[in-house]
């Protein structure tokens, strides 16, 4: 029984390592990331972060470095992970990639487009599933779709009822389309 348990754990760790390696990043024994060639045949970089810095002004001439020279890539058609200790800059990096913050220095490219110069276009292309639900209690599921479409700058003529219905069906919320978000189950809210 102990042998089966140990073998299962080793296989799980190897599979996790192999998934991480396929993104082009492996961890050495000192847990310092280093670049390697991706193990999959698809080396198509979906996101390329180059020497990214994000510093915040604390006032009085003081700053704090949230991201300090991050360089890495995430590849298409692969499971990509972004791991780090609390305070290591993961959320700040995602905020730069989604346009919430501008980088202090360096750049990131999503499908070849710079977050510095093409963010308006990129906002229409990307989506983020945040850690917490971003919902308003008194809006219905359908109303949320319209609000998020407006935030992503989707032109009103393109937010057609057929498209909304299609999205509702895709995520299994058609029957709940006119329910207030405060009355949805936890799983429905995540959808």
């Amino acid at each position: 029984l102990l042998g089966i348990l140990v073998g299962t754990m080793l296989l799980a760790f190897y599979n996790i390592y192999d998934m991480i390696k396929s993104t082009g990043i492996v961890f050495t024994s000192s847990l310092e990331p280093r670049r390697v060639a991706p193990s999959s045949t698809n080396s198509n970089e979906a996101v390329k972060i180059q020497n990214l810095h994000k510093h915040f002004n604390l006032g009085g001439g003081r700053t704090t470095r949230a991201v300090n020279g991050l360089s890495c890539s995430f590849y298409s058609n692969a499971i990509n992970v972004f791991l780090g200790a609390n305070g290591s800059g993961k959320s700040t990096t995602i905020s730069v990639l989604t346009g919430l913050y501008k980088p202090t220095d360096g750049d990131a490219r999503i499908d070849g487009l710079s977050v510095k110069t093409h963010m308006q276009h990129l906002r229409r292309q990307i989506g983020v599933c945040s850690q917490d639900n971003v919902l308003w209690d008194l809006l219905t599921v359908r109303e949320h779709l319209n609000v998020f479409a407006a935030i992503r700058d989707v032109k009103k003529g393109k937010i057609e009822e057929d498209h909304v219905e299609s999205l509702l069906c895709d995520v299994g919320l058609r029957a709940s389309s006119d329910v207030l978000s405060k009355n949805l189950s936890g799983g429905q809210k995540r959808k």
Side-chain angles (χ1 to χ4, degrees):
L1 185 61
L2 182 60
I4 293 172
L5 180 62
V6 170
T8 302
M9 288 177 50
L10 286 172
L11 183 60
F13 285 127
Y14 173 77
N15 285 334
I16 291 169
Y17 169 80
D18 194 45
M19 282 190 303
I20 292 171
K21 190 172 89 172
S22 73
T23 67
I25 298 175
V26 296
F27 293 86
T28 63
S29 59
S30 66
L31 294 180
E32 288 296 318
R34 64 179 171 85
R35 295 280 303 131
V36 296
S39 61
S40 70
T41 56
N42 181 6
S43 63
N44 194 16
E45 289 176 317
V47 178
K48 183 177 182 94
I49 301 171
Q50 297 174 299
N51 199 27
L52 187 68
H53 293 260
K54 180 58 187 170
H55 304 168
F56 292 98
N57 185 351
L58 300 176
R62 298 177 307 135
T63 62
T64 185
R65 296 177 185 174
V67 179
N68 194 27
L70 176 66
S71 294
C72 64
S73 295
F74 299 113
Y75 296 89
S76 299
N77 301 317
I79 296 172
N80 296 273
V81 295
F82 201 38
L83 301 172
N86 291 343
S88 64
K90 301 178 303 292
S91 295
T92 301
T93 300
I94 296 298
S95 294
V96 170
L97 292 174
T98 58
L100 184 60
Y101 301 140
K102 290 185 178 187
T104 303
D105 198 12
D107 199 4
R109 296 186 170 278
I110 301 172
D111 284 335
L113 300 175
S114 168
V115 298
K116 287 180 163 182
T117 57
H118 295 96
M119 187 47 68
Q120 187 172 357
H121 176 76
L122 286 170
R123 281 193 180 114
R124 294 184 199 121
Q125 304 291 330
I126 61 177
V128 174
C129 183
S130 63
Q131 183 172 342
D132 299 310
N133 295 324
V134 181
L135 301 173
W136 296 275
D137 285 346
L138 299 178
L139 290 182
T140 66
V141 173
R142 183 182 309 279
E143 290 167 335
H144 275 91
L145 285 174
N146 286 308
V147 167
F148 289 126
I151 289 170
R152 290 181 65 148
D153 201 25
V154 176
K155 303 294 181 226
K156 282 195 176 197
K158 294 196 177 215
I159 309 172
E160 298 171 8
E161 192 58 33
D162 290 343
H163 185 64
V164 170
E165 286 298 318
S166 174
L167 291 172
L168 290 167
C169 289
D170 287 348
V171 296
L173 287 175
R174 187 166 188 269
S176 302
S177 63
D178 295 315
V179 174
L180 296 177
S181 69
K182 70 179 182 177
N183 297 326
L184 298 172
S185 71
Q188 289 173 319
K189 288 179 180 181
R190 289 305 288 168
K191 289 179 181 182

